[in-house]
Amino acid sequence: MTTAHDVAHHPAPGRTGTAHPAVGAATALLDAYTPGDNRFFASPTRTLLAHGTRAEVPHDDRPLPERVAATLRAQRAAGNRAPLVVGAIPFDHHAPSALAVPETVRWSSPLHEDPLIALPAAAPGARVWDIRPVPEPERYGAAVANAVDRMRRHEFSKVVLARTLELESTEAVDVPALLQRLARRDAGGYTFAMPTGPGRALLGASPELLVSRRGNRLIANPLAGSAPRSPDLAEDVRRAAALLDSAKDSHEHAVVVAAVSQALAPYCVDIDVPELPTLVRTAAMWHLSTTVTGVLRDQDTSALELACALHPTPAVCGTPTATARGVIAELEPFDRGFFTGMVGWGDASGDGEWVVTIRCAEAEGSKLRLYAGAGIVAASTPGAETAETAAKFGTFLHAVGADL
């Protein structure tokens, strides 16, 4: 049996949409998502809903792209004409991934092209959340101060430090309703819901494309340097302008862009890196953004190979990478798991989209764990970085009807 792709009004993996996408096609996939053995991924180019699991990518000593390629080859040999993998990859490359070849896949045009996405999601029901920060804001601020002091002693240049909020209520988390609110609030971004274990679901609305590949062309869109949005239009514009003018944020962004372009350059015969960043906005945040494009030297290089060459970028780890990883392990009192890893899809031709797993949470039963991080450089202050992570929590706190 071959993998079923619903092709009426839906883009195949190499396409970016249809000239006249069917009204309701993308939101129908969003509405059809249920937790368990289903996987949802929406990007500015397409919407994907995968059902069931035909094969899981094994965890062994081989590099992840080799394991994925072998799994896809085996699927083709078994008669699956158009196999692809969908799922999540953790921050730690050595930890098991949650990648699978689904039984069936349905594709559609992007959510933002579907007029029905403008309809509001149901408001979160009234419930009481017990919210526990890990670490406490004061301890997080102390970790930021520790990192800044060490950077001023030239031990490293940047580190990304994260913190979490552990939410619990008396009722099970309504994952489909939460996904609806995330998708409808930021329909132009990257929205996902993936199983990561029995009874666990990773879901989020990431603004950041790590890398996509279509044929011999690639796109990467590093984000670094952030400011919270304001409901007041004049203040919102002021914050956006201040972010563009910020020496601290411009430096942080330049470090990330340089690392991305250096990692991709060996794979490209041509690469274009704009000199100055632009702004991208979500419902909660402004970000400095640079879109890097390139032409591949070897079309056998898959999107996942490119993603693994990039990950972790200084936007989620720091620089130098090995030193920053050590600082993260020392100063963060929790395991990141899939936070700041990758989520997306890749097919047997090598095309795919891989997104940085930020603005995310993991749901299990009545518990929800939220994650947020901030890039720490020598000019950082504990108060500002604590406030930035609090603003980033806003995406999910708004979606569940909770407040800090």
Side-chain angles (χ1 to χ4, degrees):
M1 184 176 74
T2 59
T3 297
H5 287 71
D6 291 358
V7 294
H9 307 297
H10 301 338
R15 298 173 61 193
T16 58
T18 55
H20 303 286
V23 172
T27 50
L29 298 188
L30 177 63
D31 294 343
Y33 166 79
T34 56
D37 207 14
N38 296 314
R39 298 163 176 87
F40 179 87
F41 180 83
S43 78
T45 66
R46 72 201 74 224
T47 307
L48 174 162
L49 179 64
H51 298 275
T53 299
R54 181 173 294 199
E56 293 183 347
V57 174
H59 179 64
D60 55 39
D61 292 335
R62 292 173 296 169
L64 181 59
E66 288 186 20
R67 286 182 273 139
V68 167
T71 301
L72 292 172
R73 285 195 300 270
Q75 283 293 301
R76 272 188 162 174
N80 187 344
R81 290 185 293 112
L84 76 158
V85 294
V86 187
I89 299 165
F91 174 67
D92 181 356
H93 277 189
H94 301 293
S97 65
L99 295 174
V101 178
E103 287 283 357
T104 62
V105 180
R106 297 165 62 191
W107 299 91
S108 175
S109 51
L111 281 175
H112 69 86
E113 291 183 3
D114 187 339
L116 297 187
I117 199 64
L119 297 175
R127 69 164 73 185
V128 176
W129 290 98
D130 177 47
I131 303 178
R132 186 172 76 94
V134 180
E136 294 285 345
E138 296 78 11
R139 185 176 171 187
Y140 179 78
V144 171
N146 178 303
V148 167
D149 182 61
R150 291 158 70 173
M151 279 184 277
R152 289 174 177 170
R153 297 199 306 264
H154 307 291
E155 292 183 23
F156 51 93
S157 300
K158 176 185 176 180
V159 67
V160 176
L161 293 180
R163 62 189 184 104
T164 73
L165 294 179
E166 295 181 352
L167 278 62
E168 186 170 6
S169 75
T170 56
E171 304 171 38
V173 177
D174 189 341
V175 175
L178 187 50
L179 182 67
Q180 286 275 351
R181 289 191 284 272
L182 292 170
R184 292 178 185 275
R185 195 174 188 221
D186 277 314
Y190 300 87
T191 309
F192 53 88
M194 307 284 176
T196 53
R200 291 199 308 274
L202 175 75
L203 65 162
S206 175
E208 185 169 3
L209 173 68
L210 182 62
V211 68
S212 68
R213 199 208 85 166
R214 180 185 174 195
N216 68 341
R217 298 190 175 272
L218 66 86
I219 300 173
N221 183 207
L223 307 181
S226 306
R229 301 286 306 278
S230 172
D232 179 78
L233 178 59
E235 174 61 16
D236 198 42
V237 171
R238 188 199 68 76
R239 291 181 184 184
L243 179 61
L244 273 176
D245 196 44
S246 166
K248 177 259 184 188
D249 289 287
S250 295
H251 170 68
E252 180 184 342
H253 187 79
V255 168
V256 176
V257 173
V260 167
S261 60
Q262 288 167 12
L264 291 176
Y267 296 93
C268 298
V269 292
D270 182 53
I271 188 167
D272 180 64
V273 184
E275 290 186 12
L276 297 174
T278 58
L279 286 172
V280 64
R281 65 186 178 185
T282 68
M285 301 294 295
W286 286 104
H287 298 281
L288 293 180
S289 166
T290 295
T291 300
V292 178
T293 57
V295 178
L296 284 174
R297 188 179 308 278
D298 182 353
Q299 199 165 322
D300 288 335
T301 304
S302 70
L304 183 57
E305 288 178 79
L306 296 169
C308 288
L310 286 170
H311 185 267
T313 71
V316 297
C317 182
T319 186
T321 303
T323 304
R325 276 188 179 276
V327 174
I328 288 168
E330 176 188 346
L331 297 180
E332 289 183 358
F334 59 90
D335 182 352
R336 286 193 179 187
F338 290 91
F339 172 62
T340 61
M342 301 178 268
V343 63
W345 64 274
D347 66 20
S349 74
D351 284 352
E353 293 177 293
W354 296 98
V355 175
V356 182
T357 314
I358 53 177
R359 308 299 188 278
C360 66
E362 196 161 35
E364 184 173 12
S366 62
K367 298 179 180 179
L368 191 66
R369 184 174 222 181
L370 282 55
Y371 299 86
I376 313 303
V377 294
S380 296
T381 64
E385 305 307 335
T386 303
E388 180 178 323
T389 52
K392 290 174 177 176
F393 283 133
T395 297
F396 260 90
L397 291 174
H398 178 272
V400 300
D403 293 306
L404 280 177

